[in-house]
Amino acid sequence: MQHRYVLGGRPTLADHALMGPLYGHLYRDPRSGEHMYTVAPRVADWVERMNFPPATFGDLAADDIVPEGVVAMLALLWRDYAGVVAGTLDANAAWIAAHPGEELPRAIGQQPFTIGQATGTRMIFPTPSGCGSALPTAGKASRARSKQRCSRLSKAWASPSCWQSRSPCGWSG
């Protein structure tokens, strides 16, 4: 184990973001919890550390370096979710174009997905901008920086660049 927590010797927002689904949906369920202990015992140990943190913590990784294991986990997640993100952005753009000025509904349709070996259908939940609520109100320079970061991650993970031509953000490819 490289670190006790995602980015070093103390919990960060990254740990708390992962804690919700891992604890709430997997660890607490008897069947998936048993699977976690068997297949990913270090993840189960981390969940327990997060539930009962020590009184003192260590430092974060030096120079804000993201551990290789975290990059690998994000690449795996992105491989499966890039298509979901792209489909959601496209559906949002189409809905916004077809319903100018209308209030967004709770859901705008459904989309098929494949994650690993599992397939299914999910509801498409809109965001005010169709791609993230902060982007339309951000300044031009901020949008450019966000676009640049997204492009770098897309290239690093060899995934489709699903935001390069999505117009709801005010971006053009």
Side-chain angles (χ1 to χ4, degrees):
M1 177 172 59
Q2 193 173 8
H3 300 286
R4 292 185 55 75
Y5 297 95
V6 174
L7 297 175
R10 65 176 181 230
T12 63
L13 185 58
D15 293 277
H16 292 284
L18 291 170
M19 184 64 171
L22 290 175
Y23 176 72
H25 298 293
L26 299 176
Y27 180 87
R28 291 182 355 161
D29 179 86
R31 190 152 201 151
S32 60
E34 180 181 338
H35 183 71
M36 183 186 290
Y37 271 107
T38 303
V39 175
R42 292 187 304 179
V43 173
D45 290 345
W46 169 84
V47 169
E48 291 173 359
R49 272 195 304 281
M50 286 295 293
N51 275 310
F52 302 100
T56 59
F57 297 105
D59 293 325
L60 295 177
D63 299 321
D64 288 340
I65 292 178
V66 178
E68 288 180 32
V70 173
V71 173
M73 176 189 66
L74 292 173
L76 178 67
L77 289 171
W78 189 243
R79 182 197 71 206
D80 287 343
Y81 283 98
V84 173
V85 172
T88 299
L89 294 176
D90 288 343
N92 272 275
W95 193 94
I96 290 168
H99 304 89
E102 290 185 33
E103 186 175 326
L104 292 169
R106 173 144 166 71
I108 60 172
Q110 295 187 348
Q111 84 185 103
F113 68 87
T114 300
I115 296 177
Q117 301 298 318
T119 60
T121 304
R122 67 178 286 276
M123 298 297 293
I124 301 171
F125 299 104
T127 62
S129 69
C131 68
S133 58
L135 292 173
T137 57
K140 190 174 186 177
S142 178
R143 283 196 307 272
R145 281 191 305 273
S146 294
K147 181 178 177 182
Q148 210 172 32
R149 277 190 224 108
C150 290
S151 296
R152 271 199 316 266
L153 288 174
S154 181
K155 287 175 190 161
W157 295 339
S159 63
S161 183
C162 63
W163 32 72
Q164 290 299 317
S165 62
R166 303 308 196 266
S167 61
C169 303
W171 295 349
S172 58

